[in-house]
Amino acid sequence: MTPTLHPSGNVLLAERISKRYQKPSRGDIVVIRSPENPNKTPIKRVVGIEGDCISFVIDPVTSDIYQTIVVPKGHVFVQGDYTHNSRDSRNFGPVPYGLIQGRVLWRV
Amino acid sequence: MASLSSSFWNTASREAMKSGVFIAKLYCFLHVTTNYLGFMAYAYGPSMIPTLHPSGNVLLAERISKRYQKPSRGDIVVIRSPENPNKTPIKRVVGIEGDCISFVIDPVKSDESETIVVPKGHVFVQGDYTHNSRDSRNFGPVPYGLIQGRVLWRVWPFQDFGPLGPTPT
C-alpha cells in the first residue's frame, strides 16, 4: 500500500460501526479477511463497488494485458495502492461484504 | 407529603449499581459465548429437506472447530451469504478445497451439469434439497472466512432433538 502506508509498518485505527449500516464506498481503505487464507487480514483500498465495471491491468510487472469485469452484487473490488506488488482482487477476485472486517480511519 | 430521605436514595442507588454490574457481567458472558464458543440458530426454509424441517428448527452451532481445523465434507455449516452479508444461510459442505465437484446447475429446469475445482481456501456448500436451494451452485464456492460455525445439534422440534451429522438423515 505504498505510498499511503509505509512498507516498514504502521499502526492503524479501524472501525466496525459503518459496515453495519452502510455499504463501503470507493476509496475506503478496508481490512478484509483474505479469501485465500482466513488467518490473514490484508488491508487494501476499495476500488469498485457492486455493479461497477472495472478495467485493471492483471500483472503490471510482466505485461500490459488488462481485463474488464463487472463487480457482482454483494461484493467489492479491492486493490492495493502499489499495484506492482500487491495480492488483491486482481488475484483472488471480488471480495464479499461479509469478509470486510472494518474500515481504516486513522494512522496512529 | 413527606419527601424521600437521602438514605432511601443511597440504598436505591446501591441496588441499581449492583443490578447494573450484574447486567454488564451477563452481557459480557453472553457476548463471549456467542462470538467465540457457540450460538443458537433458527433455521427455516426448504433448502435442507429432509435434514431440517422447512417450518423451523432451533439449532446449536459451535465456533471452536473452525479455528483449529478446516471444515470437512458432510458438515452442516452456518455461513454469511456472499450475496447479502445480513443473511446467514445454513448449508452442507459438499466439497473442500481441491475437490473436483460435478453438480447439476438447476435440477428443476434441465439436466445440464457443470464441473468445477474448488479453489484453495474455499468450500463448496449445497443445500440437501437441491431443487429449492440457493447455494454454491448460484453464488460460487465460499471462502473459509465467511463460515460462521458448524451445526452440532438440533434443539427443537423436540421429537428430533439430537445430533446432526455428516450424512443426510
Side-chain angles (χ1 to χ4, degrees), chain A residues 20 33-38 73-75 96-99, chain B residues 80-86 120-122 143-146:
Chain A
R20 287 184 170 270
R33 196 164 283 285
S34 166
E36 297 171 321
N37 183 348
K73 185 174 179 325
H75 291 65
Y97 288 148
L99 284 184
Chain B
R80 195 164 285 286
S81 166
E83 300 174 310
N84 182 347
N86 295 325
K120 186 177 180 322
H122 290 66
Y144 288 146
L146 284 183

mmCIF file with all atom_site columns, all heavy atoms in Angstrom, chain A residues 20 33-38 73-75 96-99, chain B residues 80-86 120-122 143-146:
data_model
loop_
_atom_site.group_PDB
_atom_site.id
_atom_site.type_symbol
_atom_site.label_atom_id
_atom_site.label_alt_id
_atom_site.label_comp_id
_atom_site.label_asym_id
_atom_site.label_entity_id
_atom_site.label_seq_id
_atom_site.pdbx_PDB_ins_code
_atom_site.Cartn_x
_atom_site.Cartn_y
_atom_site.Cartn_z
_atom_site.occupancy
_atom_site.B_iso_or_equiv
_atom_site.pdbx_formal_charge
_atom_site.auth_seq_id
_atom_site.auth_comp_id
_atom_site.auth_asym_id
_atom_site.auth_atom_id
_atom_site.pdbx_PDB_model_num
ATOM 1   N N   . ARG A 1 20  ? -21.984 -1.902  9.464  1.00 0.00 ? 20  ARG A N   1
ATOM 2   C CA  . ARG A 1 20  ? -23.295 -2.422  9.813  1.00 0.00 ? 20  ARG A CA  1
ATOM 3   C C   . ARG A 1 20  ? -24.402 -1.643  9.129  1.00 0.00 ? 20  ARG A C   1
ATOM 4   O O   . ARG A 1 20  ? -25.485 -2.149  8.882  1.00 0.00 ? 20  ARG A O   1
ATOM 5   C CB  . ARG A 1 20  ? -23.523 -2.329  11.323 1.00 0.00 ? 20  ARG A CB  1
ATOM 6   C CG  . ARG A 1 20  ? -22.737 -3.330  12.097 1.00 0.00 ? 20  ARG A CG  1
ATOM 7   C CD  . ARG A 1 20  ? -23.087 -3.240  13.563 1.00 0.00 ? 20  ARG A CD  1
ATOM 8   N NE  . ARG A 1 20  ? -22.519 -4.352  14.269 1.00 0.00 ? 20  ARG A NE  1
ATOM 9   C CZ  . ARG A 1 20  ? -23.134 -5.526  14.464 1.00 0.00 ? 20  ARG A CZ  1
ATOM 10  N NH1 . ARG A 1 20  ? -24.348 -5.711  14.020 1.00 0.00 ? 20  ARG A NH1 1
ATOM 11  N NH2 . ARG A 1 20  ? -22.517 -6.499  15.092 1.00 0.00 ? 20  ARG A NH2 1
ATOM 12  N N   . ARG A 1 33  ? -10.735 -10.088 5.490  1.00 0.00 ? 33  ARG A N   1
ATOM 13  C CA  . ARG A 1 33  ? -10.203 -11.405 5.768  1.00 0.00 ? 33  ARG A CA  1
ATOM 14  C C   . ARG A 1 33  ? -9.927  -12.039 4.403  1.00 0.00 ? 33  ARG A C   1
ATOM 15  O O   . ARG A 1 33  ? -10.811 -12.068 3.546  1.00 0.00 ? 33  ARG A O   1
ATOM 16  C CB  . ARG A 1 33  ? -11.231 -12.228 6.556  1.00 0.00 ? 33  ARG A CB  1
ATOM 17  C CG  . ARG A 1 33  ? -10.661 -13.454 7.214  1.00 0.00 ? 33  ARG A CG  1
ATOM 18  C CD  . ARG A 1 33  ? -11.587 -14.025 8.272  1.00 0.00 ? 33  ARG A CD  1
ATOM 19  N NE  . ARG A 1 33  ? -11.589 -13.299 9.512  1.00 0.00 ? 33  ARG A NE  1
ATOM 20  C CZ  . ARG A 1 33  ? -10.616 -13.328 10.429 1.00 0.00 ? 33  ARG A CZ  1
ATOM 21  N NH1 . ARG A 1 33  ? -9.568  -14.079 10.240 1.00 0.00 ? 33  ARG A NH1 1
ATOM 22  N NH2 . ARG A 1 33  ? -10.720 -12.628 11.521 1.00 0.00 ? 33  ARG A NH2 1
ATOM 23  N N   . SER A 1 34  ? -8.712  -12.507 4.196  1.00 0.00 ? 34  SER A N   1
ATOM 24  C CA  . SER A 1 34  ? -8.336  -12.956 2.860  1.00 0.00 ? 34  SER A CA  1
ATOM 25  C C   . SER A 1 34  ? -9.145  -14.172 2.427  1.00 0.00 ? 34  SER A C   1
ATOM 26  O O   . SER A 1 34  ? -9.304  -15.118 3.179  1.00 0.00 ? 34  SER A O   1
ATOM 27  C CB  . SER A 1 34  ? -6.847  -13.300 2.854  1.00 0.00 ? 34  SER A CB  1
ATOM 28  O OG  . SER A 1 34  ? -6.525  -14.023 1.704  1.00 0.00 ? 34  SER A OG  1
ATOM 29  N N   . PRO A 1 35  ? -9.693  -14.153 1.180  1.00 0.00 ? 35  PRO A N   1
ATOM 30  C CA  . PRO A 1 35  ? -10.410 -15.340 0.693  1.00 0.00 ? 35  PRO A CA  1
ATOM 31  C C   . PRO A 1 35  ? -9.494  -16.537 0.491  1.00 0.00 ? 35  PRO A C   1
ATOM 32  O O   . PRO A 1 35  ? -9.971  -17.659 0.415  1.00 0.00 ? 35  PRO A O   1
ATOM 33  C CB  . PRO A 1 35  ? -10.991 -14.892 -0.654 1.00 0.00 ? 35  PRO A CB  1
ATOM 34  C CG  . PRO A 1 35  ? -10.904 -13.420 -0.677 1.00 0.00 ? 35  PRO A CG  1
ATOM 35  C CD  . PRO A 1 35  ? -9.790  -13.042 0.222  1.00 0.00 ? 35  PRO A CD  1
ATOM 36  N N   . GLU A 1 36  ? -8.172  -16.278 0.431  1.00 0.00 ? 36  GLU A N   1
ATOM 37  C CA  . GLU A 1 36  ? -7.265  -17.409 0.225  1.00 0.00 ? 36  GLU A CA  1
ATOM 38  C C   . GLU A 1 36  ? -6.872  -18.060 1.536  1.00 0.00 ? 36  GLU A C   1
ATOM 39  O O   . GLU A 1 36  ? -6.661  -19.248 1.599  1.00 0.00 ? 36  GLU A O   1
ATOM 40  C CB  . GLU A 1 36  ? -5.997  -16.929 -0.470 1.00 0.00 ? 36  GLU A CB  1
ATOM 41  C CG  . GLU A 1 36  ? -6.259  -16.364 -1.849 1.00 0.00 ? 36  GLU A CG  1
ATOM 42  C CD  . GLU A 1 36  ? -5.028  -15.701 -2.405 1.00 0.00 ? 36  GLU A CD  1
ATOM 43  O OE1 . GLU A 1 36  ? -4.310  -15.046 -1.626 1.00 0.00 ? 36  GLU A OE1 1
ATOM 44  O OE2 . GLU A 1 36  ? -4.800  -15.821 -3.600 1.00 0.00 ? 36  GLU A OE2 1
ATOM 45  N N   . ASN A 1 37  ? -6.737  -17.267 2.581  1.00 0.00 ? 37  ASN A N   1
ATOM 46  C CA  . ASN A 1 37  ? -6.258  -17.802 3.851  1.00 0.00 ? 37  ASN A CA  1
ATOM 47  C C   . ASN A 1 37  ? -6.961  -17.051 4.968  1.00 0.00 ? 37  ASN A C   1
ATOM 48  O O   . ASN A 1 37  ? -6.676  -15.880 5.220  1.00 0.00 ? 37  ASN A O   1
ATOM 49  C CB  . ASN A 1 37  ? -4.746  -17.610 3.962  1.00 0.00 ? 37  ASN A CB  1
ATOM 50  C CG  . ASN A 1 37  ? -4.195  -18.220 5.223  1.00 0.00 ? 37  ASN A CG  1
ATOM 51  O OD1 . ASN A 1 37  ? -4.937  -18.592 6.131  1.00 0.00 ? 37  ASN A OD1 1
ATOM 52  N ND2 . ASN A 1 37  ? -2.880  -18.332 5.294  1.00 0.00 ? 37  ASN A ND2 1
ATOM 53  N N   . PRO A 1 38  ? -7.899  -17.723 5.645  1.00 0.00 ? 38  PRO A N   1
ATOM 54  C CA  . PRO A 1 38  ? -8.733  -16.985 6.605  1.00 0.00 ? 38  PRO A CA  1
ATOM 55  C C   . PRO A 1 38  ? -7.970  -16.476 7.815  1.00 0.00 ? 38  PRO A C   1
ATOM 56  O O   . PRO A 1 38  ? -8.500  -15.703 8.591  1.00 0.00 ? 38  PRO A O   1
ATOM 57  C CB  . PRO A 1 38  ? -9.789  -18.021 7.016  1.00 0.00 ? 38  PRO A CB  1
ATOM 58  C CG  . PRO A 1 38  ? -9.176  -19.329 6.736  1.00 0.00 ? 38  PRO A CG  1
ATOM 59  C CD  . PRO A 1 38  ? -8.276  -19.147 5.561  1.00 0.00 ? 38  PRO A CD  1
ATOM 60  N N   . LYS A 1 73  ? -23.078 -8.374  -7.282 1.00 0.00 ? 73  LYS A N   1
ATOM 61  C CA  . LYS A 1 73  ? -23.845 -7.847  -6.164 1.00 0.00 ? 73  LYS A CA  1
ATOM 62  C C   . LYS A 1 73  ? -23.294 -8.415  -4.869 1.00 0.00 ? 73  LYS A C   1
ATOM 63  O O   . LYS A 1 73  ? -23.009 -9.589  -4.761 1.00 0.00 ? 73  LYS A O   1
ATOM 64  C CB  . LYS A 1 73  ? -25.307 -8.255  -6.354 1.00 0.00 ? 73  LYS A CB  1
ATOM 65  C CG  . LYS A 1 73  ? -26.260 -7.679  -5.329 1.00 0.00 ? 73  LYS A CG  1
ATOM 66  C CD  . LYS A 1 73  ? -27.691 -8.012  -5.697 1.00 0.00 ? 73  LYS A CD  1
ATOM 67  C CE  . LYS A 1 73  ? -28.712 -7.493  -4.706 1.00 0.00 ? 73  LYS A CE  1
ATOM 68  N NZ  . LYS A 1 73  ? -28.301 -7.491  -3.314 1.00 0.00 ? 73  LYS A NZ  1
ATOM 69  N N   . GLY A 1 74  ? -23.192 -7.563  -3.875 1.00 0.00 ? 74  GLY A N   1
ATOM 70  C CA  . GLY A 1 74  ? -22.728 -8.038  -2.581 1.00 0.00 ? 74  GLY A CA  1
ATOM 71  C C   . GLY A 1 74  ? -21.216 -8.147  -2.460 1.00 0.00 ? 74  GLY A C   1
ATOM 72  O O   . GLY A 1 74  ? -20.728 -8.666  -1.463 1.00 0.00 ? 74  GLY A O   1
ATOM 73  N N   . HIS A 1 75  ? -20.484 -7.669  -3.453 1.00 0.00 ? 75  HIS A N   1
ATOM 74  C CA  . HIS A 1 75  ? -19.022 -7.778  -3.433 1.00 0.00 ? 75  HIS A CA  1
ATOM 75  C C   . HIS A 1 75  ? -18.386 -6.416  -3.647 1.00 0.00 ? 75  HIS A C   1
ATOM 76  O O   . HIS A 1 75  ? -19.010 -5.492  -4.165 1.00 0.00 ? 75  HIS A O   1
ATOM 77  C CB  . HIS A 1 75  ? -18.554 -8.711  -4.547 1.00 0.00 ? 75  HIS A CB  1
ATOM 78  C CG  . HIS A 1 75  ? -18.912 -10.149 -4.331 1.00 0.00 ? 75  HIS A CG  1
ATOM 79  N ND1 . HIS A 1 75  ? -20.202 -10.608 -4.296 1.00 0.00 ? 75  HIS A ND1 1
ATOM 80  C CD2 . HIS A 1 75  ? -18.133 -11.246 -4.135 1.00 0.00 ? 75  HIS A CD2 1
ATOM 81  C CE1 . HIS A 1 75  ? -20.201 -11.907 -4.091 1.00 0.00 ? 75  HIS A CE1 1
ATOM 82  N NE2 . HIS A 1 75  ? -18.971 -12.324 -3.995 1.00 0.00 ? 75  HIS A NE2 1
ATOM 83  N N   . PRO A 1 96  ? -16.617 -10.608 -0.979 1.00 0.00 ? 96  PRO A N   1
ATOM 84  C CA  . PRO A 1 96  ? -17.962 -10.348 -0.459 1.00 0.00 ? 96  PRO A CA  1
ATOM 85  C C   . PRO A 1 96  ? -17.925 -9.452  0.776  1.00 0.00 ? 96  PRO A C   1
ATOM 86  O O   . PRO A 1 96  ? -16.929 -9.418  1.505  1.00 0.00 ? 96  PRO A O   1
ATOM 87  C CB  . PRO A 1 96  ? -18.495 -11.747 -0.113 1.00 0.00 ? 96  PRO A CB  1
ATOM 88  C CG  . PRO A 1 96  ? -17.337 -12.652 -0.097 1.00 0.00 ? 96  PRO A CG  1
ATOM 89  C CD  . PRO A 1 96  ? -16.237 -12.043 -0.877 1.00 0.00 ? 96  PRO A CD  1
ATOM 90  N N   . TYR A 1 97  ? -19.030 -8.717  0.985  1.00 0.00 ? 97  TYR A N   1
ATOM 91  C CA  . TYR A 1 97  ? -19.107 -7.791  2.121  1.00 0.00 ? 97  TYR A CA  1
ATOM 92  C C   . TYR A 1 97  ? -18.814 -8.478  3.446  1.00 0.00 ? 97  TYR A C   1
ATOM 93  O O   . TYR A 1 97  ? -18.272 -7.867  4.357  1.00 0.00 ? 97  TYR A O   1
ATOM 94  C CB  . TYR A 1 97  ? -20.517 -7.190  2.235  1.00 0.00 ? 97  TYR A CB  1
ATOM 95  C CG  . TYR A 1 97  ? -20.882 -6.194  1.184  1.00 0.00 ? 97  TYR A CG  1
ATOM 96  C CD1 . TYR A 1 97  ? -22.199 -6.089  0.765  1.00 0.00 ? 97  TYR A CD1 1
ATOM 97  C CD2 . TYR A 1 97  ? -19.938 -5.345  0.615  1.00 0.00 ? 97  TYR A CD2 1
ATOM 98  C CE1 . TYR A 1 97  ? -22.569 -5.172  -0.191 1.00 0.00 ? 97  TYR A CE1 1
ATOM 99  C CE2 . TYR A 1 97  ? -20.308 -4.433  -0.347 1.00 0.00 ? 97  TYR A CE2 1
ATOM 100 C CZ  . TYR A 1 97  ? -21.613 -4.343  -0.753 1.00 0.00 ? 97  TYR A CZ  1
ATOM 101 O OH  . TYR A 1 97  ? -21.984 -3.435  -1.703 1.00 0.00 ? 97  TYR A OH  1
ATOM 102 N N   . GLY A 1 98  ? -19.244 -9.765  3.550  1.00 0.00 ? 98  GLY A N   1
ATOM 103 C CA  . GLY A 1 98  ? -19.084 -10.448 4.836  1.00 0.00 ? 98  GLY A CA  1
ATOM 104 C C   . GLY A 1 98  ? -17.641 -10.609 5.261  1.00 0.00 ? 98  GLY A C   1
ATOM 105 O O   . GLY A 1 98  ? -17.360 -10.816 6.433  1.00 0.00 ? 98  GLY A O   1
ATOM 106 N N   . LEU A 1 99  ? -16.715 -10.502 4.314  1.00 0.00 ? 99  LEU A N   1
ATOM 107 C CA  . LEU A 1 99  ? -15.302 -10.656 4.654  1.00 0.00 ? 99  LEU A CA  1
ATOM 108 C C   . LEU A 1 99  ? -14.636 -9.342  5.056  1.00 0.00 ? 99  LEU A C   1
ATOM 109 O O   . LEU A 1 99  ? -13.479 -9.338  5.432  1.00 0.00 ? 99  LEU A O   1
ATOM 110 C CB  . LEU A 1 99  ? -14.526 -11.248 3.476  1.00 0.00 ? 99  LEU A CB  1
ATOM 111 C CG  . LEU A 1 99  ? -14.704 -12.739 3.223  1.00 0.00 ? 99  LEU A CG  1
ATOM 112 C CD1 . LEU A 1 99  ? -13.796 -13.187 2.098  1.00 0.00 ? 99  LEU A CD1 1
ATOM 113 C CD2 . LEU A 1 99  ? -14.402 -13.557 4.448  1.00 0.00 ? 99  LEU A CD2 1
ATOM 114 N N   . ARG B 2 80  ? -22.039 -16.778 6.191  1.00 0.00 ? 80  ARG B N   1
ATOM 115 C CA  . ARG B 2 80  ? -22.564 -15.448 5.899  1.00 0.00 ? 80  ARG B CA  1
ATOM 116 C C   . ARG B 2 80  ? -22.664 -15.391 4.382  1.00 0.00 ? 80  ARG B C   1
ATOM 117 O O   . ARG B 2 80  ? -21.692 -15.654 3.690  1.00 0.00 ? 80  ARG B O   1
ATOM 118 C CB  . ARG B 2 80  ? -21.614 -14.387 6.432  1.00 0.00 ? 80  ARG B CB  1
ATOM 119 C CG  . ARG B 2 80  ? -22.232 -13.016 6.504  1.00 0.00 ? 80  ARG B CG  1
ATOM 120 C CD  . ARG B 2 80  ? -21.436 -12.062 7.370  1.00 0.00 ? 80  ARG B CD  1
ATOM 121 N NE  . ARG B 2 80  ? -21.570 -12.300 8.781  1.00 0.00 ? 80  ARG B NE  1
ATOM 122 C CZ  . ARG B 2 80  ? -22.649 -11.997 9.500  1.00 0.00 ? 80  ARG B CZ  1
ATOM 123 N NH1 . ARG B 2 80  ? -23.668 -11.436 8.943  1.00 0.00 ? 80  ARG B NH1 1
ATOM 124 N NH2 . ARG B 2 80  ? -22.673 -12.256 10.791 1.00 0.00 ? 80  ARG B NH2 1
ATOM 125 N N   . SER B 2 81  ? -23.853 -15.059 3.857  1.00 0.00 ? 81  SER B N   1
ATOM 126 C CA  . SER B 2 81  ? -24.049 -15.170 2.415  1.00 0.00 ? 81  SER B CA  1
ATOM 127 C C   . SER B 2 81  ? -23.156 -14.204 1.648  1.00 0.00 ? 81  SER B C   1
ATOM 128 O O   . SER B 2 81  ? -23.054 -13.031 1.999  1.00 0.00 ? 81  SER B O   1
ATOM 129 C CB  . SER B 2 81  ? -25.523 -14.885 2.100  1.00 0.00 ? 81  SER B CB  1
ATOM 130 O OG  . SER B 2 81  ? -25.681 -14.672 0.722  1.00 0.00 ? 81  SER B OG  1
ATOM 131 N N   . PRO B 2 82  ? -22.493 -14.687 0.571  1.00 0.00 ? 82  PRO B N   1
ATOM 132 C CA  . PRO B 2 82  ? -21.683 -13.765 -0.246 1.00 0.00 ? 82  PRO B CA  1
ATOM 133 C C   . PRO B 2 82  ? -22.543 -12.749 -0.992 1.00 0.00 ? 82  PRO B C   1
ATOM 134 O O   . PRO B 2 82  ? -22.036 -11.734 -1.444 1.00 0.00 ? 82  PRO B O   1
ATOM 135 C CB  . PRO B 2 82  ? -20.974 -14.680 -1.254 1.00 0.00 ? 82  PRO B CB  1
ATOM 136 C CG  . PRO B 2 82  ? -21.125 -16.059 -0.737 1.00 0.00 ? 82  PRO B CG  1
ATOM 137 C CD  . PRO B 2 82  ? -22.341 -16.088 0.105  1.00 0.00 ? 82  PRO B CD  1
ATOM 138 N N   . GLU B 2 83  ? -23.852 -13.034 -1.098 1.00 0.00 ? 83  GLU B N   1
ATOM 139 C CA  . GLU B 2 83  ? -24.697 -12.096 -1.828 1.00 0.00 ? 83  GLU B CA  1
ATOM 140 C C   . GLU B 2 83  ? -25.239 -11.006 -0.908 1.00 0.00 ? 83  GLU B C   1
ATOM 141 O O   . GLU B 2 83  ? -25.434 -9.883  -1.346 1.00 0.00 ? 83  GLU B O   1
ATOM 142 C CB  . GLU B 2 83  ? -25.899 -12.839 -2.425 1.00 0.00 ? 83  GLU B CB  1
ATOM 143 C CG  . GLU B 2 83  ? -25.490 -13.928 -3.377 1.00 0.00 ? 83  GLU B CG  1
ATOM 144 C CD  . GLU B 2 83  ? -26.695 -14.734 -3.827 1.00 0.00 ? 83  GLU B CD  1
ATOM 145 O OE1 . GLU B 2 83  ? -27.473 -15.160 -2.961 1.00 0.00 ? 83  GLU B OE1 1
ATOM 146 O OE2 . GLU B 2 83  ? -26.826 -14.915 -5.038 1.00 0.00 ? 83  GLU B OE2 1
ATOM 147 N N   . ASN B 2 84  ? -25.498 -11.342 0.337  1.00 0.00 ? 84  ASN B N   1
ATOM 148 C CA  . ASN B 2 84  ? -26.095 -10.374 1.246  1.00 0.00 ? 84  ASN B CA  1
ATOM 149 C C   . ASN B 2 84  ? -25.556 -10.628 2.643  1.00 0.00 ? 84  ASN B C   1
ATOM 150 O O   . ASN B 2 84  ? -25.909 -11.617 3.280  1.00 0.00 ? 84  ASN B O   1
ATOM 151 C CB  . ASN B 2 84  ? -27.616 -10.542 1.239  1.00 0.00 ? 84  ASN B CB  1
ATOM 152 C CG  . ASN B 2 84  ? -28.293 -9.528  2.130  1.00 0.00 ? 84  ASN B CG  1
ATOM 153 O OD1 . ASN B 2 84  ? -27.652 -8.856  2.933  1.00 0.00 ? 84  ASN B OD1 1
ATOM 154 N ND2 . ASN B 2 84  ? -29.602 -9.429  1.999  1.00 0.00 ? 84  ASN B ND2 1
ATOM 155 N N   . PRO B 2 85  ? -24.679 -9.742  3.138  1.00 0.00 ? 85  PRO B N   1
ATOM 156 C CA  . PRO B 2 85  ? -23.981 -10.042 4.395  1.00 0.00 ? 85  PRO B CA  1
ATOM 157 C C   . PRO B 2 85  ? -24.897 -10.058 5.615  1.00 0.00 ? 85  PRO B C   1
ATOM 158 O O   . PRO B 2 85  ? -24.468 -10.456 6.688  1.00 0.00 ? 85  PRO B O   1
ATOM 159 C CB  . PRO B 2 85  ? -22.958 -8.913  4.506  1.00 0.00 ? 85  PRO B CB  1
ATOM 160 C CG  . PRO B 2 85  ? -23.503 -7.809  3.689  1.00 0.00 ? 85  PRO B CG  1
ATOM 161 C CD  . PRO B 2 85  ? -24.252 -8.454  2.574  1.00 0.00 ? 85  PRO B CD  1
ATOM 162 N N   . ASN B 2 86  ? -26.170 -9.661  5.458  1.00 0.00 ? 86  ASN B N   1
ATOM 163 C CA  . ASN B 2 86  ? -27.058 -9.713  6.608  1.00 0.00 ? 86  ASN B CA  1
ATOM 164 C C   . ASN B 2 86  ? -27.751 -11.051 6.740  1.00 0.00 ? 86  ASN B C   1
ATOM 165 O O   . ASN B 2 86  ? -28.463 -11.281 7.705  1.00 0.00 ? 86  ASN B O   1
ATOM 166 C CB  . ASN B 2 86  ? -28.116 -8.607  6.505  1.00 0.00 ? 86  ASN B CB  1
ATOM 167 C CG  . ASN B 2 86  ? -27.483 -7.237  6.574  1.00 0.00 ? 86  ASN B CG  1
ATOM 168 O OD1 . ASN B 2 86  ? -26.514 -7.055  7.286  1.00 0.00 ? 86  ASN B OD1 1
ATOM 169 N ND2 . ASN B 2 86  ? -28.003 -6.304  5.805  1.00 0.00 ? 86  ASN B ND2 1
ATOM 170 N N   . LYS B 2 120 ? -8.422  -22.983 -3.524 1.00 0.00 ? 120 LYS B N   1
ATOM 171 C CA  . LYS B 2 120 ? -7.802  -23.039 -2.206 1.00 0.00 ? 120 LYS B CA  1
ATOM 172 C C   . LYS B 2 120 ? -8.469  -22.028 -1.284 1.00 0.00 ? 120 LYS B C   1
ATOM 173 O O   . LYS B 2 120 ? -8.758  -20.906 -1.676 1.00 0.00 ? 120 LYS B O   1
ATOM 174 C CB  . LYS B 2 120 ? -6.312  -22.711 -2.357 1.00 0.00 ? 120 LYS B CB  1
ATOM 175 C CG  . LYS B 2 120 ? -5.498  -22.878 -1.088 1.00 0.00 ? 120 LYS B CG  1
ATOM 176 C CD  . LYS B 2 120 ? -4.033  -22.605 -1.378 1.00 0.00 ? 120 LYS B CD  1
ATOM 177 C CE  . LYS B 2 120 ? -3.164  -22.746 -0.153 1.00 0.00 ? 120 LYS B CE  1
ATOM 178 N NZ  . LYS B 2 120 ? -3.715  -22.273 1.097  1.00 0.00 ? 120 LYS B NZ  1
ATOM 179 N N   . GLY B 2 121 ? -8.707  -22.444 -0.049 1.00 0.00 ? 121 GLY B N   1
ATOM 180 C CA  . GLY B 2 121 ? -9.289  -21.512 0.901  1.00 0.00 ? 121 GLY B CA  1
ATOM 181 C C   . GLY B 2 121 ? -10.803 -21.395 0.800  1.00 0.00 ? 121 GLY B C   1
ATOM 182 O O   . GLY B 2 121 ? -11.396 -20.545 1.458  1.00 0.00 ? 121 GLY B O   1
ATOM 183 N N   . HIS B 2 122 ? -11.443 -22.227 -0.010 1.00 0.00 ? 122 HIS B N   1
ATOM 184 C CA  . HIS B 2 122 ? -12.883 -22.148 -0.186 1.00 0.00 ? 122 HIS B CA  1
ATOM 185 C C   . HIS B 2 122 ? -13.526 -23.511 0.060  1.00 0.00 ? 122 HIS B C   1
ATOM 186 O O   . HIS B 2 122 ? -12.854 -24.540 0.012  1.00 0.00 ? 122 HIS B O   1
ATOM 187 C CB  . HIS B 2 122 ? -13.220 -21.724 -1.625 1.00 0.00 ? 122 HIS B CB  1
ATOM 188 C CG  . HIS B 2 122 ? -12.863 -20.303 -1.935 1.00 0.00 ? 122 HIS B CG  1
ATOM 189 N ND1 . HIS B 2 122 ? -11.568 -19.855 -1.960 1.00 0.00 ? 122 HIS B ND1 1
ATOM 190 C CD2 . HIS B 2 122 ? -13.623 -19.232 -2.228 1.00 0.00 ? 122 HIS B CD2 1
ATOM 191 C CE1 . HIS B 2 122 ? -11.555 -18.574 -2.272 1.00 0.00 ? 122 HIS B CE1 1
ATOM 192 N NE2 . HIS B 2 122 ? -12.787 -18.160 -2.443 1.00 0.00 ? 122 HIS B NE2 1
ATOM 193 N N   . PRO B 2 143 ? -15.482 -18.652 0.705  1.00 0.00 ? 143 PRO B N   1
ATOM 194 C CA  . PRO B 2 143 ? -14.197 -18.659 1.430  1.00 0.00 ? 143 PRO B CA  1
ATOM 195 C C   . PRO B 2 143 ? -14.382 -19.016 2.893  1.00 0.00 ? 143 PRO B C   1
ATOM 196 O O   . PRO B 2 143 ? -15.445 -18.779 3.477  1.00 0.00 ? 143 PRO B O   1
ATOM 197 C CB  . PRO B 2 143 ? -13.690 -17.226 1.280  1.00 0.00 ? 143 PRO B CB  1
ATOM 198 C CG  . PRO B 2 143 ? -14.824 -16.415 0.826  1.00 0.00 ? 143 PRO B CG  1
ATOM 199 C CD  . PRO B 2 143 ? -15.834 -17.308 0.214  1.00 0.00 ? 143 PRO B CD  1
ATOM 200 N N   . TYR B 2 144 ? -13.344 -19.609 3.501  1.00 0.00 ? 144 TYR B N   1
ATOM 201 C CA  . TYR B 2 144 ? -13.427 -20.033 4.897  1.00 0.00 ? 144 TYR B CA  1
ATOM 202 C C   . TYR B 2 144 ? -13.854 -18.905 5.822  1.00 0.00 ? 144 TYR B C   1
ATOM 203 O O   . TYR B 2 144 ? -14.523 -19.116 6.815  1.00 0.00 ? 144 TYR B O   1
ATOM 204 C CB  . TYR B 2 144 ? -12.053 -20.526 5.388  1.00 0.00 ? 144 TYR B CB  1
ATOM 205 C CG  . TYR B 2 144 ? -11.600 -21.837 4.838  1.00 0.00 ? 144 TYR B CG  1
ATOM 206 C CD1 . TYR B 2 144 ? -10.247 -22.061 4.600  1.00 0.00 ? 144 TYR B CD1 1
ATOM 207 C CD2 . TYR B 2 144 ? -12.484 -22.863 4.572  1.00 0.00 ? 144 TYR B CD2 1
ATOM 208 C CE1 . TYR B 2 144 ? -9.797  -23.259 4.101  1.00 0.00 ? 144 TYR B CE1 1
ATOM 209 C CE2 . TYR B 2 144 ? -12.035 -24.063 4.073  1.00 0.00 ? 144 TYR B CE2 1
ATOM 210 C CZ  . TYR B 2 144 ? -10.685 -24.262 3.840  1.00 0.00 ? 144 TYR B CZ  1
ATOM 211 O OH  . TYR B 2 144 ? -10.236 -25.451 3.341  1.00 0.00 ? 144 TYR B OH  1
ATOM 212 N N   . GLY B 2 145 ? -13.418 -17.690 5.500  1.00 0.00 ? 145 GLY B N   1
ATOM 213 C CA  . GLY B 2 145 ? -13.683 -16.561 6.390  1.00 0.00 ? 145 GLY B CA  1
ATOM 214 C C   . GLY B 2 145 ? -15.164 -16.258 6.549  1.00 0.00 ? 145 GLY B C   1
ATOM 215 O O   . GLY B 2 145 ? -15.570 -15.612 7.508  1.00 0.00 ? 145 GLY B O   1
ATOM 216 N N   . LEU B 2 146 ? -15.985 -16.745 5.607  1.00 0.00 ? 146 LEU B N   1
ATOM 217 C CA  . LEU B 2 146 ? -17.421 -16.494 5.712  1.00 0.00 ? 146 LEU B CA  1
ATOM 218 C C   . LEU B 2 146 ? -18.145 -17.565 6.505  1.00 0.00 ? 146 LEU B C   1
ATOM 219 O O   . LEU B 2 146 ? -19.339 -17.438 6.729  1.00 0.00 ? 146 LEU B O   1
ATOM 220 C CB  . LEU B 2 146 ? -18.055 -16.405 4.315  1.00 0.00 ? 146 LEU B CB  1
ATOM 221 C CG  . LEU B 2 146 ? -17.808 -15.114 3.543  1.00 0.00 ? 146 LEU B CG  1
ATOM 222 C CD1 . LEU B 2 146 ? -18.550 -15.159 2.226  1.00 0.00 ? 146 LEU B CD1 1
ATOM 223 C CD2 . LEU B 2 146 ? -18.238 -13.905 4.326  1.00 0.00 ? 146 LEU B CD2 1
#
